[in-house]
Amino acid sequence: MTEPGSPQRALVIGEALIDIVERDGHITGEYVGGSPLNVAVGLARLGRGVDFLTHIGDDPHGRRIADHVKHSGVQLVSGSMNAQRTPTARASLDADGSAQYVFDIEWQLTGTPEVTPPLVAHTGSIAAVLEPGCRAAAALLDTYHPAATVTFDPNVRAVLVDDDDGARGRIDRLVERSDVVKASDEDMRWIDPDRSPEQLAQTWLGLGPSIVAVTMGDRGAFALCAAGAVHVPALQVDVVDTVGAGDAFMSGLIDALWSVGLLGAQRRRDLARISTESLTGAVQTAALSSALTVARAGADLPDRETRDAARQSAILG
């Protein structure tokens, strides 16, 4: 567990938006979304203290987001509601539930949030590459690195990238800053089409992270650490859609490492020495969070009671 006196909260930095979901040309629902927001909500539903720094408007969509995060137990950081309008993402679902997105978003950050130095600081997705806010997000990770474990999920939204090489450079620099990196195999192929996800993950591990985890949809997930590589198969569930699947995996992975006392700068050396057995357990927990999410519509991440019950059911089954 974390040491006495250590900060017990996570800080998540990144976009929040409204997902407008379409299937066969018809709007089927509007959901609060955004990859970092989903990670924040996922952690809060698992009982973790979370501060969330974002950029939304004081408009109906923005107030809906604010109500959603508050109801989920997330603290919205002061200054997060000063955008001219709240971002939206139109998600078109294909036959297998996979989503393609069209975004209307502006991403800016100013100043340092008035929060307690966190145990873990997370960012990713649009917040990591979209100007001008991406520079401020990276600077904040540098600010919190002396106190916090830094986690990162590139969660690439290529439709928003004007400069592919510039975005890849920003991703590489964030990988170097991070202790834990999670990506999908699709992300990896966009970031480096000339190497396999396994090869790129190995390169990333050499840049500084203690853990690099890669999700592969119905083929499960693998993760690398200094002690070696692990692979966890996908759980068999009836997929409703894949919205929020990667974010559920990310929040589940952070929570699992939190539960075994491997977060915070004071535990950085211990995290770097994680065993393959401990890493397997963490990835299994993350995969379970993801499986429960794809079985429900939208980014509806599980709470701890739901996840524990599903784990117990799997064990007994």
Side-chain angles (χ1 to χ4, degrees):
M1 301 303 291
T2 53
E3 297 179 7
S6 297
Q8 296 293 306
R9 296 182 67 81
L11 173 64
V12 178
I13 304 163
E15 71 273 7
L17 46 80
I18 297 294
D19 282 321
I20 303 169
V21 180
E22 293 183 347
R23 193 188 288 268
D24 299 325
H26 300 286
I27 295 176
T28 60
E30 294 189 359
Y31 305 94
V32 173
S35 176
L37 177 144
N38 291 336
V39 173
V41 168
L43 285 170
R45 288 183 176 178
L46 293 170
R48 304 303 185 181
V50 184
D51 297 305
F52 180 45
L53 177 63
T54 189
H55 187 61
I56 57 177
D58 188 5
D59 53 26
H61 278 163
R63 289 189 288 274
R64 180 178 174 187
I65 289 170
D67 288 344
H68 175 74
V69 298
K70 181 179 179 181
H71 179 73
S72 299
V74 175
Q75 178 66 48
L76 192 65
V77 175
S78 176
S80 291
M81 295 187 72
N82 58 7
Q84 291 186 349
R85 66 183 184 282
T86 297
T88 60
R90 192 170 291 268
S92 299
L93 303 179
D94 60 21
D96 66 0
S98 297
Q100 300 293 324
Y101 292 89
V102 176
F103 293 90
D104 176 16
I105 184 170
E106 178 186 70
W107 173 239
Q108 296 189 42
L109 291 176
T110 57
T112 302
E114 296 180 2
V115 298
T116 300
L119 187 73
V120 56
H122 173 81
T123 196
S125 198
I126 297 167
V129 298
L130 187 63
E131 293 279 10
C134 63
R135 297 178 186 272
L140 285 173
L141 292 186
D142 286 344
T143 297
Y144 291 114
H145 187 271
T149 298
V150 174
T151 66
F152 172 53
D153 176 6
N155 197 6
V156 176
R157 303 304 188 193
V159 68
L160 285 173
V161 176
D162 294 327
D163 177 0
D164 290 2
D165 289 340
R168 290 179 177 118
R170 292 190 187 99
I171 289 169
D172 282 345
R173 288 189 291 274
L174 283 168
V175 169
E176 292 171 355
R177 289 177 165 97
S178 299
D179 299 294
V180 179
V181 178
K182 172 265 165 191
S184 71
D185 55 349
E186 291 181 358
D187 292 334
M188 306 287 262
R189 292 190 181 95
W190 184 89
I191 292 165
D192 191 339
D194 296 326
R195 286 186 287 177
S196 70
E198 291 81 4
Q199 290 171 322
L200 183 55
Q202 192 67 56
T203 297
W204 280 1
L205 190 69
L207 294 177
S210 295
I211 295 170
V212 177
V214 180
T215 58
M216 303 182 293
D218 60 5
R219 294 185 295 119
F222 71 89
L224 307 180
C225 65
V230 304
H231 179 267
V232 171
L235 297 170
Q236 299 302 308
V237 296
D238 292 327
V239 177
V240 176
D241 63 52
T242 62
V243 178
D247 306 324
F249 187 98
M250 184 80 254
S251 61
L253 181 60
I254 294 170
D255 173 70
L257 296 172
W258 201 328
S259 293
V260 294
L262 289 178
L263 297 187
Q266 293 179 340
R267 304 307 301 272
R268 187 164 278 129
R269 184 175 297 178
D270 296 317
L271 181 65
R273 294 196 294 248
I274 189 172
S275 67
T276 54
E277 181 181 8
S278 294
L279 182 57
T280 298
V283 175
Q284 287 173 334
T285 296
L288 178 56
S289 288
S290 185
L292 291 169
T293 300
V294 301
R296 302 191 284 203
D300 187 7
L301 281 66
D303 58 24
R304 188 171 299 278
E305 182 179 1
T306 299
R307 198 182 65 188
D308 287 351
R311 178 186 285 115
Q312 188 66 20
S313 176
I315 291 172
L316 294 176

